[in-house]
Amino acid sequence: MSETAKFRAAALPHLRRGRLAKGAPIPLPLTMAAIFHAPGDATGFDQYGRFSNPTWDAVEHMLAHLEDAPCVAFPSGMAAISAVFFGLLKSGDRILLPSDGYHTTRALAERFLKSFGVAYDVRPTSTFLDGGFDGYRLAFVETPANPGLDICDITAVAEAAHKASAILVVDNTTMTPFGQRPLDLGADIVVAADTKAPNGHSDVLFGHVASRNADIIAAVTDWRETSGAIPGPFEAWLVHRGLETLDVRFDRMCSSAEVLARRLKDHPAISGLRFPGLESDPSHNLGHAQMERFGFLISFVLASEDKAEDFINNCALMQAATSFGGVHTSAERRAKRGDAVPPGFVRLSVGCEPVEELWQAIEASLDGISG
Ligand SMILES: Cc1ncc(COP(=O)(O)O)c(C=O)c1O
């Protein structure tokens, strides 16, 4: 972890310190309120739950500290992505999306943006630079892409996109601000599903938009207030609590993933393993240059759909679940969600269990499907 990341992690649990009145609770109070006392002039304080809420403010303060940029909270990762698209795009615009990233982002473009006159094209993450960005208003990358874990050079994409007058959005969901810092690498906007590692306990959906451009922040804030795509205060409170331990959880998850990826790669039941932390991985050199950690996701292929299902379902320390980034190790055979991957393709999200115990359970399950 870099010195600045350590500084951010250390200051995170103390962000509210300077604002505490004598006798105020140290943990964040939860403010469940649709209305606030609002006599007289209607400016400069909380008035209505669609406009603002003190619990959102606290979680946005934490996220802004982590991103080193103003942040706007949303009720899910997709709500954050929608806010960027609907808040910034207009009819006649053209955007570029990853062909191998989270499928719902493409579905949003296909099923909704298109009918509002916004066209889109797709490109693989690993060759995202090829072809340039002329004619695009916005380029959107996910790196590492979920679920194939290919990556692209954020700095180079940002430079080329800006030359073509396009803005660059990076979905940083697979990495968190502790693992990768797209705004520092030149991106204009970060979107993320805090549903994953930032909350970390798999009990909440949440998302945020981060940007150092005040016009962008104003546009997505306006979208939130006007569309009503607002986070619930309780969800914000849970994410605030989750963020307090993100550094510890993320560190454990990434360290364990590095150990497990090496061992999994050598297992005879496994082929096509991808993890940017392995020196042999096509993403390794670029990943080493632009990522602070290599993440907690590993993908690989087992011989068949049945073997992949048996591997996941028979592992004592693994949950069969979609999503990733929780304290519990989980895995999913992604073909069943419609991703363009082989039937036995598994996306493994490494959790916080002690790594040797986790490996024993994984190895036992792999041995069970071998032969
Ligand atoms: C990379 C990525 N971005 C965005 C999302 C959407 O997040 P949410 O489910 O919170 O809407 C997901 C969900 O899996 C994702 O994997």
Side-chain angles (χ1 to χ4, degrees), residues 78 81 98 100-106 142 146-147 171 334:
M78 283 317 303
I81 293 170
D100 49 346
Y102 184 52
H103 59 92
T104 310
T105 306
R106 288 188 300 279
E142 209 180 286
N146 166 28
D171 183 334
R334 285 301 296 181

Side-chain angles (χ1 to χ4, degrees), residues 59-344:
V59 76
E60 284 175 349
H61 186 193
M62 272 187 150
L63 290 166
H65 170 79
L66 290 177
E67 297 280 13
D68 199 11
C71 286
V72 186
F74 286 92
S76 67
M78 283 317 303
I81 293 170
S82 300
V84 168
F85 289 168
F86 287 96
L88 298 179
L89 298 175
K90 56 183 187 333
S91 176
D93 284 343
R94 193 169 197 94
I95 66 170
L96 186 60
L97 302 175
S99 55
D100 49 346
Y102 184 52
H103 59 92
T104 310
T105 306
R106 288 188 300 279
L108 182 63
E110 173 62 29
R111 303 217 287 268
F112 295 93
L113 293 185
K114 239 164 89 170
S115 52
F116 288 112
V118 175
Y120 77 99
D121 298 309
V122 298
R123 241 181 231 175
T125 298
S126 62
T127 53
F128 205 79
L129 263 176
D130 296 1
F133 301 98
D134 283 343
Y136 291 109
R137 161 90 178 103
L138 180 152
F140 184 105
V141 299
E142 209 180 286
T143 173
N146 166 28
L149 305 184
D150 270 332
I151 71 175
C152 64
D153 185 335
I154 297 174
T155 308
V157 171
E159 275 173 17
H162 292 159
K163 258 188 210 139
S165 302
I167 55 173
L168 176 63
V169 183
V170 177
D171 183 334
N172 206 33
T173 298
T174 53
M175 291 313 296
T176 88
F178 282 124
Q180 182 169 263
R181 309 198 55 75
L183 297 177
D184 294 348
L185 299 172
D188 302 284
I189 301 175
V190 160
V191 292
D194 300 308
T195 311
K196 319 293 179 187
N199 176 59
H201 295 78
S202 308
D203 46 12
V204 145
L205 278 89
F206 210 76
H208 75 268
V209 175
S211 178
R212 293 174 185 155
N213 178 320
D215 293 340
I216 290 173
I217 290 294
V220 294
T221 306
D222 188 16
W223 167 260
R224 178 175 73 179
E225 184 174 315
T226 309
S227 69
I230 56 163
F234 184 50
E235 283 72 10
W237 186 85
L238 284 169
V239 172
H240 185 277
R241 167 175 279 208
L243 285 170
E244 289 181 329
T245 56
L246 173 60
D247 162 46
V248 184
R249 289 183 285 103
F250 187 69
D251 184 42
R252 164 71 74 96
M253 287 153 65
C254 293
S255 300
S256 295
E258 289 187 27
V259 172
L260 295 177
R262 283 177 208 292
R263 296 182 190 176
L264 285 166
K265 190 163 189 343
D266 291 337
H267 198 283
I270 281 179
S271 64
L273 184 137
R274 295 297 308 272
F275 178 68
L278 292 183
E279 294 76 7
S280 56
D281 193 276
S283 298
H284 183 70
N285 290 342
L286 177 56
H288 190 64
Q290 81 177 9
M291 298 156 83
E292 302 224 346
R293 299 296 303 261
F294 291 115
F296 51 81
L297 292 178
I298 304 171
S299 66
F300 52 83
V301 181
L302 296 172
S304 66
E305 172 177 335
D306 287 349
K307 285 198 189 277
E309 287 291 337
D310 287 350
F311 163 67
I312 295 168
N313 297 330
N314 298 336
C315 180
L317 298 183
M318 188 176 293
Q319 300 293 335
T322 195
S323 198
F324 51 84
V327 289
H328 17 59
T329 291
S330 65
E332 183 169 50
R333 204 176 55 74
R334 285 301 296 181
K336 74 179 176 197
R337 299 279 163 200
D339 285 340
V341 291

